[in-house]
Amino acid sequence: AMRMRRSGLAVMAASVLALSACSSGPWEVAVADPGSIAAGELSEHGGEPCPAALPPSSDEHGLGISSSAIRTPAQMTFDAAWLCEYVTDDGTLQEDGNGMTFGWVRQGAPVEFSEAGLDSLADVLATIAPPEDAEGMACTSDLGPRYLVVTASGEDLTGIAIDDFGCRWVRLTEDPHVTAPGESQELPAGFLLGEYEIVSQIQAAAR
């Protein structure tokens, strides 16, 4: 288990339990069944898997919902995936003057995973699960980039947003162009956890 000292915004107290990697899980690389997917979703967004900016979060600071998910995703397959990086914008002052609300804007172009990279990505995503002790987590109060993995099953998109700061929270969205990560109506809402090195593992898979 890895423990980190808490000191700041939107964090909780105690320890982050490392999750063991496994080769099986809800993520599987497979060709999409045309009859079982949302037709045209990728095309609806102009062929862009990653939005120019992430949909705004309901969190008052725009950093993402901070309640934990209570279940893992159901079985999902994908036949393509992309990795995108996001950073916070300059922020806007809240109406009460007591804080800032931030948005997330994309840096650079999406990086598409190779066929071999898709298999590696599936292995990394298999480590994602609800935290074992959401009330007892300690996260650093730093702020860094957020990475978005967008998987496609045919034209159906799914987004997996990973914080490269704090506890490396993972949030899901059924459409990264429309629904803020972690606020899905179809996928587990709230945050999940992978291994602490999840960002570097995904970056390695994308090379």
Side-chain angles (χ1 to χ4, degrees):
M2 177 169 293
R3 301 183 64 88
M4 298 188 296
R5 191 174 54 201
R6 172 185 191 231
S7 67
L9 178 66
V11 293
M12 309 162 84
S15 62
V16 178
L17 297 177
L19 300 173
S20 59
C22 57
S23 57
S24 60
W27 307 89
E28 180 183 355
V29 179
V31 177
D33 176 2
S36 66
I37 62 175
E41 192 169 86
L42 181 59
S43 298
E44 287 175 4
H45 300 304
E48 287 285 343
C50 301
L54 293 177
S57 169
S58 62
D59 168 66
E60 63 175 332
H61 300 290
L63 300 181
I65 191 167
S66 58
S67 58
S68 64
I70 59 174
R71 63 183 177 90
T72 55
Q75 180 77 30
M76 285 189 283
T77 62
F78 58 94
D79 49 39
W82 298 263
L83 177 63
C84 295
E85 179 183 359
Y86 291 80
V87 297
T88 53
D89 58 18
D90 293 335
T92 55
L93 186 65
Q94 294 176 5
E95 291 184 3
D96 60 9
N98 291 326
M100 301 289 288
T101 299
F102 296 96
W104 294 89
V105 294
R106 196 181 76 204
Q107 299 292 292
V111 176
E112 187 169 6
F113 288 80
S114 66
E115 185 174 340
L118 292 178
D119 292 329
S120 298
L121 175 63
D123 289 339
V124 175
L125 296 180
T127 69
I128 295 173
E132 295 185 20
D133 183 14
E135 297 298 323
M137 296 179 62
C139 306
T140 56
S141 61
D142 56 334
L143 184 60
R146 174 170 291 166
Y147 288 90
L148 179 71
V149 173
V150 178
T151 63
S153 179
E155 287 270 316
D156 185 23
L157 302 179
T158 298
I160 306 101
I162 308 108
D163 293 344
D164 195 18
F165 57 91
C167 281
R168 278 57 180 174
W169 286 351
V170 178
R171 301 176 181 90
L172 308 180
T173 170
E174 66 268 21
D175 187 340
H177 290 261
V178 176
T179 305
E183 301 183 30
S184 174
Q185 300 299 310
E186 301 175 11
L187 302 172
F191 69 84
L192 302 107
L193 289 176
E195 294 190 348
Y196 190 74
E197 301 82 9
I198 185 170
V199 170
S200 59
Q201 292 171 342
I202 288 175
Q203 289 174 326
R207 295 191 183 104

